Amino acid sequence: MILDAARAAASQLFSPEFRAVFLKTLGLTLLALVALWFGLTGLVDWLALPWVEALLPGLPSWAGWLSGIIAAIALAFGMALLIAPVTAIIAGLFLDDVAEVVERTDYPGDPAGRAVPALRSLVLSIKFFGVVILGNIVALLLLLVPGINIAAFFIVNGYLLGREFFEFAAMRFRPEEEAKGLRRKYAGTVFLAGLVIAAFLAVPLLNLVTPLFAAAIMVHLHKAVSARESRR
């Protein structure tokens, strides 16, 4: 069930139907990162550099240039860490577009799902942003313990990503409480699917499309679970 859902989602990820959503996500992410870069550099120039000059008066002129280069390198490193979270929060706004494409192309005979309310969609994108941050913090905190940091990354992200994205897919067809109940009933299956999403999240560049992949795989998984429930 999970492997079938993952294969179907991966095959659709770069299809023409997904291209519009991907380009919108990528474009807005780049704009957000550019705005963030100028905002952070302005903040450093305004707060950090005067503080350094006041703390260490009489520094030679080359020290200012050196501190500027160090700050730029630090900012670039920070921006690299922020790419995935920023993409996550923006892609969260287009999850219904992904779900609609999957439902229309793979399940044309089924009733169409209803879009998750805009506020709930925003909450989901913020939660995914938080999951990405939390997962990476946990991994960094356990970095000195060989093996455990990797396991923690996958366990934390697998559980949280599986839960949030399955409930998103289910809520297109069910009330929220029913969606949560279905997720609890198939908790093991949802967690394993969440591990697949976490594996995507761990790969550079692929992590940019993780929210889109997560939405697609969970739409397929919810369809499979719903079919099993109806047979019962």
Side-chain angles (χ1 to χ4, degrees):
M1 183 189 301
I2 295 171
L3 290 178
D4 290 340
R7 278 195 295 265
S11 66
Q12 289 174 313
L13 202 53
F14 299 103
S15 65
E17 293 83 2
F18 269 59
R19 195 170 297 149
V21 181
F22 174 70
L23 291 176
K24 282 190 292 187
T25 301
L26 184 61
L28 288 174
T29 298
L30 291 175
L31 287 175
L33 289 173
V34 168
L36 196 58
W37 170 266
F38 282 109
L40 289 175
T41 52
L43 195 63
V44 168
D45 290 340
W46 180 48
L47 293 178
L49 293 183
W51 180 81
V52 171
E53 291 173 358
L55 185 66
L56 301 171
L59 284 175
S61 59
W62 58 264
W65 285 94
L66 181 61
S67 61
I69 292 172
I70 293 173
I73 293 172
L75 281 172
F77 181 73
M79 292 295 291
L81 294 177
L82 286 173
I83 288 176
V86 170
T87 305
I89 200 167
I90 290 174
L93 303 176
F94 300 106
L95 297 182
D96 275 306
D97 294 353
V98 173
E100 288 170 8
V101 169
V102 174
E103 291 165 8
R104 185 176 66 250
T105 55
D106 284 38
Y107 309 96
D110 293 356
R114 62 184 182 278
V116 175
L119 182 59
R120 182 70 179 87
S121 187
L122 179 61
V123 169
L124 180 62
S125 66
I126 293 172
K127 280 185 174 182
F128 184 74
F129 177 86
V131 168
V132 174
I133 296 295
L134 177 63
N136 284 282
I137 288 175
V138 169
L140 286 173
L141 290 176
L142 296 173
L143 190 62
L144 299 179
V145 186
I148 293 181
N149 58 321
I150 298 174
F153 175 87
F154 279 97
I155 290 171
V156 171
N157 283 288
Y159 172 73
L160 294 175
L161 294 173
R163 182 187 70 184
E164 295 301 328
F165 280 94
F166 183 83
E167 289 181 6
F168 156 77
M171 282 173 56
R172 287 179 55 82
F173 296 90
R174 307 167 186 270
E176 184 171 356
E177 286 306 312
E178 187 179 335
K180 291 179 182 293
L182 189 65
R183 189 263 305 167
R184 287 190 290 267
K185 184 175 181 179
Y186 290 91
T189 301
V190 171
F191 173 66
L192 290 175
L195 290 179
V196 176
I197 299 171
F200 239 69
L201 184 63
V203 180
L205 297 182
L206 277 183
N207 57 13
L208 297 179
V209 293
T210 298
L212 309 184
F213 173 77
I217 189 175
M218 286 307 185
V219 168
H220 288 292
L221 187 63
H222 175 256
K223 287 289 187 179
V225 165
S226 298
R228 178 176 293 184
E229 287 290 298
S230 64
R231 288 195 297 269
R232 290 180 177 177

